[in-house]
Amino acid sequence: MYRQASYPERLIFQYKDQKSDHAYWLSDKDLELVMNYLPENMKRTEDPNIPDLPENLVVRHFTRLSRLNHAIDISTYPLGSCTMKYNLKSMERLSSISDLAYLHDAYPDDMVQGLLELLYLLDKYLCEITGMDKFSLQPSAGAHGELTGVLIIKKYHEVNGEGGIRDEILVPDSAHGTNPASAAMAGFKVVEVKSNSEGTVDMDDLISKISRRTAGLMLTNPNTLGLFEKDVLEISKVIHEAGGLLYYDGANLNGILCYSRPGDMGFDLAHLNLHKTFGTPHGGGGPGAGPLGVKAHLKEFLPIPVVEKEGEKYRLNYNLRHSIGRVKEGFGNTLVLMKALLFILIKGYEGLRESREKAVENTRYFLDQMKDVEEITLTHNPRLMRYHECLLSAKKLKDKTGVDAKDIAKRIFDYGFHPPMIYFPLIVDEALLIEFTEDETKENIKSYAEVLKKIVKEAYENPFLLKTAPHTTFIGRLDEVKASHPKTMTLNWKKARERYKDLLEKLASQSSD
């Protein structure tokens, strides 16, 4: 069983200046030359508040910190609705290709034909996979793709003379939180659509909320419960008859990959989370990519430029009549886009279909392992097929023992696994959203189910053990109130040094270089 590392490690700010071995990187003469090119208002008047350290100490420090974390390279990571796929190491090698890394759109098109060809090829593959007609590769994350999409919806209605009228975006109550956030950032009023007893969109409630003010509906399919929205064609019909647009949140595309396409369901726009479906790095602050695709009637609204092909040449097209303008500099996050292209080329059509099949199969296998656990149960109609993920509820366990979803999640760390998503979606009490991607083995899935069964048993026998978990990690359970309250949050080193002086001194004395 994997055990997370646990040892004291000082903060980088607590190191004292030491003789550095990197003076040879830049001579005083070179430094003076560089400084002459900088405007005065960009030059520092004092040294930065970081220690001067040799490279080996910096590498050791951050390597030790990395071992205090959990990662998909270490153990099972079934974070629901996040699709934590393994990142192929062959894809990572692309990051070291400087000929790709240093290209940008300030070069003449003739000098970047190779890169433009690759970007155009990715565009075409994504169109084929989703049923869209053209993609912008600029958005740098899924939420960024969403914002780009709702800005297009807004511009579309403005061009059609309804900008001051259509000011509402409909969002299901099971949607990802970024959906209402993106709509609100674009200036829309968010109208929530309820789910029915089966966990899908309540058609009666949807129809009752469609009006002259409806600009569009944002929909995930399969949804965050792992259920396919079987009424999607009817949803598309009523939204379009009302003059609205239908937006596809591509976060869960892995559940239908190469089996069905958003464009064939009636969606007008679709963003993709490349880290969820095409195995690019996930999280850590970036870089990411969330390409946005549109049907032909919205192509003129895409961010500029887009890559197009004329004869045997590729070019950047800045001439889109109704473009919302740039949403990111350059071509987008080029290396992330290239990793996704490589993933598609390695897998091929059959491999992508197989990815979806294995992901769905793993969900079914897990649910079969959990079928006799009465305290952690599948929500909504158990007879409906679950796709890439499944939503369980620990409400019965909480009612019987006081142990809640948060306690379960904390305790899972002690068994060497990462917990699932908890308390999302908000429509389910004590939610546990679990997603095993195609990369996970049956052995590990079975072990994960066994851990949940052990935790249920522990909840009856020793609930205090769960209430105080985790016990094997370097950082134990935090005081969640203090961790999130403005008066007690510590957002910078200066404040931390004042507030936790004794603790930091103890930490420094126990750690070594």
Side-chain angles (χ1 to χ4, degrees), residues 130-135 145-157 169 215-220 239-240 244-250 262-263 266-272 291-299 301-303 324:
T130 62
M132 295 290 121
D133 295 314
K134 188 63 180 175
F135 266 84
E146 286 180 18
L147 179 60
T148 304
V150 290
L151 288 174
I152 287 177
I153 292 174
K154 187 174 186 178
K155 185 71 174 285
Y156 171 83
H157 290 302
I169 290 287
L217 168 69
M218 302 180 78
L219 187 66
T220 309
I239 290 295
H240 289 137
L245 296 175
L246 189 57
Y247 180 94
Y248 182 75
D249 177 345
F267 287 92
D268 302 288
L269 313 85
H271 89 263
L272 302 178
L292 178 80
V294 298
K295 298 295 281 187
H297 60 284
L298 295 177
K299 177 185 173 183
F301 295 85
L302 283 172
I324 62 170

Side-chain angles (χ1 to χ4, degrees), residues 10 15-22 51-54 57 513:
R10 75 182 83 174
Y15 281 86
K16 297 178 180 179
D17 285 346
Q18 300 188 35
K19 180 176 172 56
S20 174
D21 62 351
H22 55 247
D52 185 6
L53 299 174
L57 291 193
D513 296 338

